[in-house]
Amino acid sequence: MKILIGQPKLEQALDQLERELSFNPEVDIVLYPEGYLNQNVEEARRLAAKYETIIVSGHRRLDERPKDRAIIMNKAGDIVLEKAKYTPATTVEEAGWLISTLLCDELVRQGFRKEFDGQVHLIMHSIGVGMFSEEQYTEWLEEARQIAIAEQCVIMGTSHADGAYRDSDISIPIAYCVAPNGDILIESRNDTRSRVIELKSVGKGQDWKAADLNISVFCLE
């Protein structure tokens, strides 16, 4: 399983997403930030099917509260998971991997709040804007590390390359990946290059064991 972690700028269309999909045909999943898809869900579904790549990101329903939604589209362009912000976590199985999501400050407001029993292999954390302080960066990374250890899973997250929280004049773009044992494999601040994570596991489904997981990290120029 190859996962591309991207840090795009917020845009009205999906030009950056399509460019990364076309330049990286070998990846199985693209993880993008909260809200990146805006109202372009149908276009994202088309791209997922065209490039046969799972897309994990967030979009907005402006007439609903909360307006933000986590979303996963499979390689056929079907929506296989859609979750409103601040609701309990759910999972979807793709290619033998059990995948769940976190959306931005769910990480610190409610943690990985689940109402299901059993294993999760990957938690994909779509963040909106960058961190507004080094203290926040450190806090969020440690919260993610604790979740990885508690759930014995891989957790990874990414924010937009631009944008600040409310009136803050500081925005630190963030991307990270933490292994099930708590080792931090990616700890990126103010470096918006895309990364590719390659995961190899001996077992699948119920036979999956965190100890059997091999993880490689590549940085794209």
Side-chain angles (χ1 to χ4, degrees):
M1 173 77 77
K2 290 186 177 181
I3 304 168
L4 185 147
I5 302 176
Q7 297 178 79
K9 292 184 177 180
L10 186 62
E11 59 180 348
Q12 292 302 310
L14 303 181
D15 297 338
Q16 294 163 96
L17 175 60
E18 181 160 24
R19 187 161 59 247
E20 291 215 284
L21 288 168
S22 64
F23 287 173
N24 300 281
E26 76 283 0
V27 302
D28 300 289
I29 302 177
V30 169
L31 172 62
Y32 258 34
E34 176 193 46
Y36 172 80
L37 299 182
N38 290 304
Q39 283 73 59
N40 298 316
V41 171
E42 291 306 310
E43 174 63 8
R45 292 181 62 189
R46 184 188 71 81
L47 293 175
K50 176 180 178 179
Y51 294 100
E52 298 182 338
T53 305
I54 298 165
I55 295 173
V56 183
S57 186
H59 74 106
R60 294 185 175 97
R61 294 185 181 179
L62 297 179
D63 58 343
E64 297 185 21
R65 291 293 181 272
K67 64 182 182 298
D68 291 301
R69 300 287 192 279
I71 193 167
I72 299 179
M73 302 164 190
N74 66 16
K75 293 185 177 185
D78 301 321
I79 297 172
V80 292
L81 184 151
E82 185 173 8
K83 187 187 86 69
K85 198 171 186 178
Y86 308 130
T87 58
T90 59
T91 62
V92 62
E93 183 172 347
E94 291 293 329
W97 297 83
L98 291 166
I99 305 170
S100 192
T101 61
L102 276 171
L103 206 56
C104 203
D105 65 345
E106 283 186 332
L107 177 75
V108 290
R109 289 191 60 173
Q110 66 182 36
F112 186 62
R113 181 163 66 93
K114 65 179 186 179
E115 295 180 348
F116 61 87
D117 295 324
Q119 180 73 55
V120 57
H121 301 152
L122 307 175
I123 298 176
M124 317 294 274
H125 182 200
S126 294
I127 305 166
V129 298
M131 305 289 95
F132 57 78
S133 69
E134 288 290 341
E135 291 77 14
Q136 184 195 17
Y137 180 95
T138 301
E139 177 193 13
W140 283 41
L141 193 61
E142 179 58 23
E143 287 291 337
R145 202 178 74 84
Q146 293 301 324
I147 290 172
I149 295 169
E151 297 296 332
Q152 283 295 284
C153 71
V154 178
I155 181 170
M156 59 189 72
T158 188
S159 75
H160 286 101
D162 57 349
Y165 178 72
R166 294 184 177 174
D167 297 325
S168 174
D169 57 358
I170 298 175
S171 179
I172 305 170
I174 177 176
Y176 72 85
C177 179
V178 184
N181 64 359
D183 287 351
I184 300 173
L185 307 177
I186 295 176
E187 185 177 355
S188 172
R189 54 163 68 79
N190 286 319
D191 180 353
T192 58
R193 291 175 295 175
S194 296
R195 270 79 172 176
V196 171
I197 309 295
E198 184 172 9
L199 305 176
K200 295 181 180 179
S201 177
V202 175
K204 296 290 185 181
Q206 295 301 316
D207 296 324
W208 189 89
K209 292 183 177 62
D212 296 331
L213 186 63
N214 182 272
I215 308 175
S216 304
V217 179
F218 308 92
C219 186
L220 303 180
E221 295 297 331

